[in-house]
Amino acid sequence: MIWGTHLIRRTMTNWPDIIGIPLWMWIFGLPLAIALFAAIQAEIISRIFQPLWAILDRVYTISGYIAAFFMCVILLITIGQMGSRWLGLTFEGSTEFAGYAMAATSFFALAHALSYGSHIRVSVFLNLNSWTRYWLNVFALALSAVIATYFARYAIKTNQMSALLNDRTQGQDQIPDYLTQFLQLFGSSPSQWGTVLDQATGELIYTPMWVPQLTMSIGTVLLAICLWDHLIRLVATKRSAIRQEVLE
């Protein structure tokens, strides 16, 4: 009972302390401090972060592949709906699963699309001169990073609340129980994995809402990281790391 009360309080707290420091300092203050330090010591930041930038570029590319995979899932579900209709069968939950795949496609594609310049950018003022272009890019990336980080925080909070309330789908979609138990391994310590796996069954259960919501949380976190990453790169190297500009 005490543990449950503590969990509820921790979940309801917007900015809990981590190692004695409020969460907002970690997710807003730390990357902003790194960006400011990059403006002062660009060479040091570039040298330290170069290996990390290569890794992050691969992560953004992988997220794009995952988005493409879920787009193919939408196609397969659509084909399955057509086939079941022709055969007079019922494809229960197909609409819900297609919606989950569409959400996954959208959110996993965010960071990849940003890195490749696929987001809409109004460049009227950016083309005035190099000084204006640089500072407007810095301002836009900083503001976008703060907004995306705020969104990511509350996307994760939505996941936590859905799991806490055991919120389930209102549709006909069902998934194997062992899938939810497997996903819970990533949110528990290795010492608890045995207990979590012992609870797994092969029964079909109505989809817990936190399962499809995971794609929203992961996608928004990746977008926030990508925006802070490109801000720091821009400040450190004085040029945008976005690989191509959107056609005017």
Side-chain angles (χ1 to χ4, degrees), residues 112-142:
H112 180 268
L114 176 66
S115 296
Y116 282 86
S118 298
H119 288 194
I120 296 174
R121 303 177 68 197
V122 180
S123 57
V124 175
F125 296 105
L126 295 179
N127 295 329
L128 291 177
N129 53 66
S130 59
W131 185 88
T132 303
R133 183 182 187 88
Y134 172 77
W135 284 108
L136 284 177
N137 270 324
V138 169
F139 173 77
L141 284 172

Side-chain angles (χ1 to χ4, degrees), residues 64-211:
Y65 286 137
I66 295 174
F69 166 77
F70 279 107
M71 187 174 292
C72 294
V73 170
I74 297 174
L75 173 62
L76 293 176
I77 292 175
T78 303
I79 295 174
Q81 287 176 321
M82 295 168 58
S84 62
R85 191 176 298 113
W86 292 337
L87 296 174
L89 302 176
T90 302
F91 189 173
E92 293 186 354
S94 59
T95 302
E96 288 78 14
F97 287 129
Y100 302 153
M102 184 176 295
T105 299
S106 301
F107 284 102
F108 275 110
L110 290 174
H112 180 268
L114 176 66
S115 296
Y116 282 86
S118 298
H119 288 194
I120 296 174
R121 303 177 68 197
V122 180
S123 57
V124 175
F125 296 105
L126 295 179
N127 295 329
L128 291 177
N129 53 66
S130 59
W131 185 88
T132 303
R133 183 182 187 88
Y134 172 77
W135 284 108
L136 284 177
N137 270 324
V138 169
F139 173 77
L141 284 172
L143 181 61
S144 300
V146 170
I147 294 173
T149 303
Y150 196 81
F151 186 16
R153 166 68 186 105
Y154 281 94
I156 295 174
K157 188 178 177 65
T158 300
N159 259 187
Q160 294 173 332
M161 289 302 300
S162 295
L164 185 64
L165 299 175
N166 195 26
D167 191 15
R168 301 296 178 104
T169 178
Q170 299 299 310
Q172 297 299 314
D173 54 300
Q174 299 183 58
I175 60 176
D177 178 61
Y178 62 76
L179 176 59
T180 64
Q181 300 299 329
F182 172 75
L183 292 175
Q184 289 180 20
L185 294 179
F186 297 97
S188 58
S189 62
S191 61
Q192 298 176 329
W193 287 358
T195 303
V196 173
L197 291 176
D198 288 341
Q199 297 174 353
T201 66
E203 298 178 357
L204 292 176
I205 60 173
Y206 286 102
T207 308
M209 289 309 300
W210 63 266
V211 175

Side-chain angles (χ1 to χ4, degrees), residues 32-50:
L32 184 58
I34 295 175
L36 292 175
F37 185 73
I40 302 172
Q41 298 291 340
E43 185 177 347
I44 295 176
I45 289 294
S46 297
R47 185 170 62 253
I48 294 175
F49 277 71
Q50 199 68 45

